[in-house]
Amino acid sequence: MKKTLVALAVMAAAGAASAQSSVTLFGIVDLAVQYGSGSTSDRLRLVPNGYNSSRLGFRGVEDLGGGLQASFWLEAGIEADSGIGQATNTNNQASGATTNTGLLFNRRATLSLAGGFGEVRLGRDYTPQFWNLTVFDPFGTNGVGTNIIPSAGVTGVRASNSIGYFLPRNIGGFYGQAQYYMGENLEGAATEDDGTGYGIRLGYAAGPFDVAAAYGNTEYAAADVTVWNIAGSWNFGMAKLFAQYQQDEGVAAADRTGWLIGATAGVGAGEIRAAYSQTEVDTAANPRSRKLALGYVHNLSKRTAVYTTIARVRNDGGAALALGGAATGANTSSTGFDLGVRHSF
Amino acid sequence: MKKTLVALAVMAAAGAASAQSSVTLFGIVDLAVQYGSGSTSDRLRLVPNGYNSSRLGFRGVEDLGGGLQASFWLEAGIEADSGIGQATNTNNQASGATTNTGLLFNRRATLSLAGGFGEVRLGRDYTPQFWNLTVFDPFGTNGVGTNIIPSAGVTGVRASNSIGYFLPRNIGGFYGQAQYYMGENLEGAATEDDGTGYGIRLGYAAGPFDVAAAYGNTEYAAADVTVWNIAGSWNFGMAKLFAQYQQDEGVAAADRTGWLIGATAGVGAGEIRAAYSQTEVDTAANPRSRKLALGYVHNLSKRTAVYTTIARVRNDGGAALALGGAATGANTSSTGFDLGVRHSF
Amino acid sequence: MKKTLVALAVMAAAGAASAQSSVTLFGIVDLAVQYGSGSTSDRLRLVPNGYNSSRLGFRGVEDLGGGLQASFWLEAGIEADSGIGQATNTNNQASGATTNTGLLFNRRATLSLAGGFGEVRLGRDYTPQFWNLTVFDPFGTNGVGTNIIPSAGVTGVRASNSIGYFLPRNIGGFYGQAQYYMGENLEGAATEDDGTGYGIRLGYAAGPFDVAAAYGNTEYAAADVTVWNIAGSWNFGMAKLFAQYQQDEGVAAADRTGWLIGATAGVGAGEIRAAYSQTEVDTAANPRSRKLALGYVHNLSKRTAVYTTIARVRNDGGAALALGGAATGANTSSTGFDLGVRHSF
C-alpha cells in the first residue's frame, strides 16, 4: 500500500549501491460521483473524498540509536476532481485561514523525536479532541455518510503551531496524547491568547474492546471553545459496533450535543457500513439534525476499492442541514448519494 | 526518461527487500530566453515552456488481476522561471478560476479503472476537443511557434469534474474517447448548467497515417461553447506532414475558424519544425491572424534538448495578436524568438 | 542525508531490475519554540527555521557524455509549523510578490548545462550578492541568531528569470559566478527596466582560508538598488572565525552599512556558535542595531540535531529592531530565544 523510496548511494565507479536512509511517498486518490437533493435545490458533483480524503504525502523515519527515533510527516490534501490543494489555518484563528488553491501540508506537517518515553511531536497535527469522531465513525468522517457530530471550531480537527506528547505503546492497552498549540499573537491585546489551547485524549484497547475520551479547550476573547467526547467500539467478529457522545460550547449559539451509533460488517471482500447520528443545539428552538447512512465498500485489492453510500438527514427546530452540496429549507429533509473509487499508493 | 520509484518493504531484521508497488515521479524543466517584438512594445523574458511545458508529476498503476488495472495520475504545471505553480479552474466556469501561485495538479488529476473494456477515468483531464490541436501541431502548442488555432473557452484544453471513457487499444487502428464534465452548480438557476458539457474524439492510425476528429460542447447561459476539429499527419519517412482545421462558436464575437499546415523532418540528432497557421473571426471586419513558424530542436540525449524557434504573425481586419509577450497594434506584425533547453526526468 | 530515488525498470517477468536514471528527493523539517521579548510586546511561537529553513525538493543530474551534464533543481520552502509554502517573487519587483500559501519552488527552480567550461544555469536562483551573508554567518542567516546585515531589496537573496554562469571547479582555489536577471516588463515605460539587474561574486579558498567579494545592481525607476560585500573565514582547527562587511544603497533612507564577526567551535558531537553583528543607516539620526548571539547545536546524527540560540539586539538612533516576532520601541533592546530540532532527509 505504502512504498518506501529506498535511498541508494550509487557508487559511480563500482556500480554498487548501499541503502542509507528512506523517504516514503504515499497518497490516496478518491473520486466519487455525488448527488445531493434537498427541498430548495439539488446538485450533481464529482467529489474527492467519498470514502477517504485524497492526499499526497512524504514521510520518513531515522533510527538515531539507543532506542531514539527522529521522524517527519508532510501530508497535503488534494481536491482530485480539480487538482487544487486544500486550505489550512496558520494561527488557529479566523485570521489565519488560507484559501484552498495550491498544494500545502494542511493535513499534517510534523517533526518527532520518539523513544521509550513516548513521542514528542511538533508542527501542524490533528487535535486530540478530533480522533474519537473519526476513529469510531463507520464512515470515517468522509462522504455523504459522515458522522453528523460537528468538529468544534477552528481547532476541531487540527491545530498549527502545536507541541504534542504521545504515551509509549504497549503499556497494558492504555494509549493517550496531550497537545498544546499556540495562537502566536503579540502579548498585551485582549485577543493575545486567541487560538492558543490544549487537548488531551486517553483510551484503552484490549481484545475486541476499544474506548477513549478526549477534552479540548481553545481560547478566544469572544468565547472559549471547549469540547469533550467519549466513544468506543466492540468487535463481535461478525460485526463491529460503534458509539460516540460529544458536547461542545463556544461554537454554536448555545451548547451543542451529538451522538452516534453505528456498525460495520465484513461480507467477503466487502464491508457493509451503517450509522445513525444526531446533533442538536440547546437553544429554545432546539434545532436538531438526525442522519441515517448506509453504505457498501467492495475491495478490489488492499489498495483499491469501489464504494457506494446513501444517507438521509431530517431537520427540525429550524435546522437546515443538507447533504451532497444540495440546499434544503428549515425543518425539511435532504438525501445524499455517493458512488466512487478509492485508490491508495 | 521516466523513473519508477520502486516500493521496497525493507525487512529490518533480515535486511532483505522485496518489491510491493510503484509510484513514478516524473517531470520536465524547460526554460527559454524569449524575445517578442511588436509595433507597440517589445519584451525580453525567461519562459518555462518554449518546447514542452514545465511540470512535476506522480503516477502509478496497480494490477488488480483478471486484466483489470487501477491507476492514478497527478501532474502539476511549473513556471520554472520563478518557481510558482499554474492556475486551474475548479468548475469549468469563470467563477472557478484560481490564481497561479502555489503548485497544484492543474495539468491532470485522475483516477482510472482499465481493462479489456477500455478505461474509465475520473477527475481533471484534457478534453477530447483539445487533442487534435496539439498532437498534430509540429510545435506541440508550446513556445512562440505554437499553433495559432485557439482552444475553445474554459474547457478548450482541460475540464475539472470529468468522467471519461477511452476505447481499448488494438481495435484495428481505431482509437477514441468520450468525456462528460460537470459545472456542479445548484439546480434551479438560469446558470445551473454552466460549465457542464461533453466531448468526443475518434481517430484512425495505421502505418504512416493518423487522422482524428473531435467535437465538444459546454453549456453556458450566456452562450454555449461548441467546437469541432479534424486533423491528421502523414509520415513520409524523410518528413512528416501535419494539417488541422477547426471551427468554434460561443467564444469569439462570431464563429471562428482556424487551420494549420506543418511539417517536421529529422536531421541527425535534431529535428526541423515548420508550420503555417491561421485564425479568423466571421464578423464584418473579419479579423485574421496568420503565423509562420520555423524551429530546430537538437537532442543532446533522449531527455535533454536545446532548441530555437522564430515565428512571425501578420494581423489584418483589426486583429492585434503579438508574440513573445510583446504588444502590437491592430493590423501590424509581431515577431517572436525562443532559445532554450528542455530537460525531462 | 540526501537520498537518491533510483529509477528501476522493473522486469515483471524476471524480477530483475536495472538502474536507468535518478531523481533525488530531499528536504529539511526544522521546528523550534521561539520566544521574543521587547519593550512593547512579547511573543511565543513555533517557527520553521531556527537552524535551517524547512524545505522539500527534487533534483537530478543527467550525464550527456563528453563531460557535459544536464541537471535540474526544484526546491520549495515549507512553513512546517502550519504546513503552508512560502512566497516568491515572479518579476523581481513589488508587483511580482506572491502570498505565501501553497507550496511553490521559491527557494530554487533551475535548469543547468555544465561541463569543463563551467555551468550555465537558468531560472530562479540565489543572487551572487547574497552568498557572503549566509556562508560566512555562524548562524547561516536563520533563527534569532541570524546575521543582522540585511539582504538588499527584492533581489537581495534570490532573483527570478535569471541566467547565471559559474566558473568551473578546481581552478587553483578560485571560484566565482555571474548572474543576469530580467524584470520582464514591456519596453517603453519609465519602469521598463525595473527588476532587471546583475550580480557577480569572486572568491578564493585554500586550506583554512576562504574569502569572497560580491557586487549586485538591480534597476528601478525609483532608485537602483546596489550592494557590495566582502567576507571570509579562517579555520584554526579548534575554532573557525568569520567576518563580513557590506554596503548597500537604494533600499534604506540612505546608504546602509553592516558588519559581522563570529566564530564556531566543535565540542564533541556539538558545535558552539557566536556572532556579533551591526547595521546602521547613514542619515542624520544614524539609526543603528547591534546584535550579540550565542548558540549550541547538538548533533544526534548527521541528519538530526537539537539546538538552542539566545540573542539580544540593542537599538539606537531611532532603530527598533525586535527579535522572535516581538515588538520593541525605538532605542530599546529585544531578546530572542530558540529551542528546536532539525531533521534533514
Side-chain angles (χ1 to χ4, degrees):
Chain A
M1 226 170 315
K2 306 296 191 299
K3 90 232 48 59
T4 298
L5 307 175
V6 172
L8 295 179
V10 178
M11 309 301 172
S18 65
Q20 283 195 322
S21 69
S22 68
V23 174
T24 299
L25 171 61
F26 65 98
I28 292 175
V29 181
D30 183 321
L31 285 167
V33 175
Q34 182 175 88
Y35 187 74
S37 72
S39 68
T40 308
S41 187
D42 302 344
R43 176 124 63 170
L44 179 68
R45 302 190 296 189
L46 194 73
V47 296
N49 47 18
Y51 180 32
N52 293 153
S53 300
S54 294
R55 72 194 69 175
L56 177 69
F58 307 87
R59 63 172 193 254
V61 180
E62 183 195 15
D63 190 341
L64 297 169
L68 198 63
Q69 282 187 329
S71 61
F72 75 98
W73 190 300
L74 298 168
E75 184 177 324
I78 304 171
E79 306 279 336
D81 49 344
S82 67
I84 64 171
Q86 289 185 316
T88 189
N89 186 294
T90 60
N91 65 7
N92 311 320
Q93 302 157 64
S95 63
T98 69
T99 54
N100 63 332
T101 49
L103 212 70
L104 50 84
F105 299 116
N106 64 305
R107 293 182 58 85
R108 184 167 162 189
T110 63
L111 176 56
S112 294
L113 287 178
F117 59 87
E119 177 186 347
V120 174
R121 189 185 293 179
L122 306 175
R124 177 172 177 81
D125 196 14
Y126 290 94
T127 49
Q129 51 266 41
F130 172 66
W131 283 114
N132 289 335
L133 297 188
T134 193
V135 170
F136 299 107
D137 175 10
F139 291 91
T141 51
N142 266 313
V144 295
T146 183
N147 188 347
I148 208 173
I149 306 175
S151 55
V154 176
T155 58
V157 179
R158 298 176 182 89
S160 290
N161 318 313
S162 79
I163 304 169
Y165 168 72
F166 293 76
L167 289 176
R169 300 185 180 190
N170 304 319
I171 49 170
F174 288 97
Y175 58 89
Q177 67 176 112
Q179 186 188 49
Y180 173 73
Y181 41 87
M182 294 173 265
E184 300 194 340
N185 300 307
L186 278 167
E187 295 181 9
T191 55
E192 69 175 5
D193 291 327
D194 277 25
T196 297
Y198 65 93
I200 188 165
R201 180 172 183 247
L202 289 170
Y204 177 77
F209 182 71
D210 190 357
V211 67
Y215 177 80
N217 180 81
T218 310
E219 297 183 69
Y220 298 99
D224 285 7
V225 171
T226 61
V227 56
W228 70 265
N229 53 48
I230 183 165
S233 64
W234 191 286
N235 193 337
F236 288 94
M238 261 187 58
K240 189 176 179 183
L241 300 189
F242 300 85
Q244 298 185 23
Y245 182 83
Q246 174 171 297
Q247 285 193 355
D248 67 35
E249 55 183 272
V251 182
D255 289 5
R256 188 168 55 177
T257 309
W259 56 264
L260 172 146
I261 52 169
T264 59
V267 184
E271 185 182 60
I272 294 173
R273 310 191 292 170
Y276 184 83
S277 56
Q278 171 182 307
T279 183
E280 64 184 319
V281 181
D282 191 21
T283 56
N286 199 31
R288 180 176 63 160
S289 299
R290 289 171 290 170
K291 182 198 254 187
L292 180 64
L294 187 67
Y296 175 68
V297 177
H298 187 77
N299 294 299
L300 299 174
S301 74
K302 283 188 180 176
R303 297 168 53 197
T304 304
V306 291
Y307 61 89
T308 188
T309 306
I310 187 160
R312 183 163 176 84
V313 65
R314 285 188 298 165
N315 296 291
D316 50 61
L321 186 68
L323 300 181
T328 206
N331 308 322
T332 67
S333 295
S334 172
T335 303
F337 173 77
D338 284 339
L339 175 64
V341 187
R342 188 282 322 270
H343 177 70
S344 65
F345 55 92
Chain B
M1 226 169 313
K2 306 298 191 297
K3 90 232 47 63
T4 298
L5 308 174
V6 172
L8 295 179
V10 178
M11 310 300 170
S18 65
Q20 282 195 322
S21 71
S22 69
V23 174
T24 299
L25 171 61
F26 66 97
I28 292 174
V29 180
D30 183 320
L31 285 167
V33 176
Q34 181 174 88
Y35 187 74
S37 72
S39 68
T40 308
S41 187
D42 301 346
R43 176 126 62 170
L44 179 68
R45 302 190 296 187
L46 193 72
V47 296
N49 46 19
Y51 180 31
N52 293 154
S53 301
S54 294
R55 71 195 71 174
L56 176 68
F58 307 87
R59 63 171 194 256
V61 180
E62 182 195 15
D63 191 340
L64 297 170
L68 198 63
Q69 281 188 328
S71 61
F72 75 98
W73 190 300
L74 299 168
E75 184 177 324
I78 304 172
E79 305 279 335
D81 49 344
S82 66
I84 64 171
Q86 288 184 317
T88 189
N89 186 294
T90 59
N91 65 6
N92 311 321
Q93 301 157 63
S95 63
T98 69
T99 54
N100 63 333
T101 51
L103 213 69
L104 50 84
F105 300 116
N106 64 304
R107 293 182 58 84
R108 184 167 163 189
T110 62
L111 175 57
S112 293
L113 288 179
F117 60 87
E119 177 186 347
V120 173
R121 189 185 293 179
L122 306 175
R124 177 171 176 82
D125 195 15
Y126 290 93
T127 50
Q129 52 266 41
F130 172 65
W131 284 114
N132 289 336
L133 296 188
T134 193
V135 169
F136 299 107
D137 174 10
F139 292 91
T141 51
N142 267 314
V144 295
T146 183
N147 188 346
I148 208 173
I149 305 175
S151 55
V154 177
T155 57
V157 179
R158 297 177 183 90
S160 290
N161 318 313
S162 79
I163 303 170
Y165 168 73
F166 294 76
L167 287 176
R169 299 186 181 191
N170 304 319
I171 49 170
F174 289 97
Y175 58 88
Q177 67 175 113
Q179 186 188 48
Y180 174 74
Y181 41 88
M182 294 173 265
E184 301 193 340
N185 300 306
L186 278 167
E187 296 181 8
T191 56
E192 68 174 7
D193 291 327
D194 277 26
T196 297
Y198 66 92
I200 188 165
R201 180 172 183 247
L202 288 170
Y204 178 78
F209 182 70
D210 189 357
V211 66
Y215 177 80
N217 180 81
T218 309
E219 297 182 68
Y220 298 99
D224 285 5
V225 171
T226 60
V227 55
W228 71 265
N229 53 48
I230 184 166
S233 64
W234 190 286
N235 194 337
F236 287 95
M238 261 187 59
K240 189 176 178 182
L241 299 190
F242 300 85
Q244 298 184 24
Y245 183 81
Q246 173 172 296
Q247 285 193 355
D248 67 35
E249 55 183 272
V251 182
D255 288 5
R256 189 167 56 179
T257 308
W259 55 264
L260 171 146
I261 52 168
T264 58
V267 184
E271 185 182 62
I272 294 172
R273 311 190 291 170
Y276 185 82
S277 56
Q278 171 182 308
T279 184
E280 63 184 319
V281 181
D282 190 21
T283 57
N286 200 29
R288 180 176 63 158
S289 300
R290 290 171 289 170
K291 182 197 255 187
L292 179 64
L294 187 66
Y296 175 68
V297 177
H298 187 77
N299 294 299
L300 299 173
S301 74
K302 283 187 180 177
R303 297 168 52 197
T304 305
V306 292
Y307 61 87
T308 188
T309 306
I310 187 160
R312 184 163 177 84
V313 65
R314 286 188 297 165
N315 296 290
D316 51 61
L321 186 69
L323 299 181
T328 207
N331 307 321
T332 68
S333 294
S334 172
T335 303
F337 174 76
D338 284 338
L339 175 63
V341 187
R342 189 281 324 269
H343 177 70
S344 64
F345 56 93
Chain C
M1 225 170 315
K2 306 298 193 296
K3 89 231 49 60
T4 298
L5 309 175
V6 171
L8 296 178
V10 178
M11 309 301 169
S18 66
Q20 283 195 323
S21 70
S22 68
V23 174
T24 299
L25 170 61
F26 65 99
I28 291 175
V29 181
D30 183 321
L31 285 168
V33 176
Q34 182 175 88
Y35 187 75
S37 71
S39 67
T40 308
S41 187
D42 302 345
R43 176 126 60 169
L44 178 68
R45 303 189 295 188
L46 192 74
V47 297
N49 46 18
Y51 180 31
N52 292 153
S53 301
S54 294
R55 72 196 69 175
L56 176 69
F58 307 87
R59 63 171 194 256
V61 180
E62 183 195 15
D63 190 341
L64 297 169
L68 198 62
Q69 282 186 327
S71 61
F72 76 97
W73 190 300
L74 299 169
E75 184 178 324
I78 304 172
E79 306 279 335
D81 49 345
S82 66
I84 63 171
Q86 289 185 315
T88 190
N89 186 294
T90 59
N91 65 7
N92 311 321
Q93 302 158 62
S95 63
T98 69
T99 54
N100 62 332
T101 51
L103 212 70
L104 50 84
F105 300 117
N106 63 304
R107 292 182 58 85
R108 185 168 162 188
T110 62
L111 175 58
S112 293
L113 287 178
F117 59 88
E119 177 186 346
V120 174
R121 188 185 293 178
L122 306 176
R124 177 171 177 82
D125 195 15
Y126 290 93
T127 50
Q129 50 266 41
F130 172 66
W131 283 114
N132 289 337
L133 297 188
T134 193
V135 170
F136 300 107
D137 174 11
F139 292 91
T141 51
N142 267 314
V144 295
T146 181
N147 187 348
I148 208 173
I149 306 174
S151 56
V154 177
T155 57
V157 179
R158 297 176 182 90
S160 289
N161 319 312
S162 78
I163 303 169
Y165 167 73
F166 293 76
L167 288 176
R169 300 185 180 191
N170 306 318
I171 49 170
F174 288 97
Y175 59 90
Q177 68 176 111
Q179 186 188 49
Y180 174 73
Y181 40 87
M182 294 173 265
E184 301 193 339
N185 301 306
L186 278 167
E187 295 181 8
T191 57
E192 69 175 6
D193 291 327
D194 277 25
T196 296
Y198 65 93
I200 187 165
R201 180 172 184 248
L202 288 169
Y204 178 77
F209 181 70
D210 190 356
V211 66
Y215 177 80
N217 181 81
T218 309
E219 297 183 68
Y220 298 98
D224 285 6
V225 171
T226 61
V227 55
W228 70 265
N229 52 48
I230 183 165
S233 64
W234 190 287
N235 193 337
F236 288 94
M238 261 186 58
K240 190 176 179 183
L241 299 189
F242 299 85
Q244 298 184 24
Y245 183 83
Q246 174 173 297
Q247 285 194 355
D248 67 35
E249 55 183 272
V251 182
D255 288 6
R256 188 167 57 178
T257 309
W259 55 264
L260 172 146
I261 52 169
T264 58
V267 184
E271 186 183 60
I272 295 172
R273 310 190 291 170
Y276 184 83
S277 55
Q278 171 182 308
T279 184
E280 64 184 320
V281 181
D282 191 22
T283 56
N286 200 31
R288 181 176 63 159
S289 301
R290 291 172 289 171
K291 181 198 255 186
L292 180 64
L294 187 67
Y296 175 67
V297 177
H298 186 77
N299 294 300
L300 299 174
S301 74
K302 283 188 180 176
R303 297 167 52 197
T304 305
V306 292
Y307 61 88
T308 188
T309 307
I310 187 159
R312 184 163 177 83
V313 66
R314 285 188 299 165
N315 296 291
D316 51 60
L321 186 68
L323 299 181
T328 207
N331 308 322
T332 69
S333 294
S334 172
T335 303
F337 174 77
D338 283 339
L339 174 64
V341 187
R342 189 282 322 270
H343 177 70
S344 64
F345 55 93

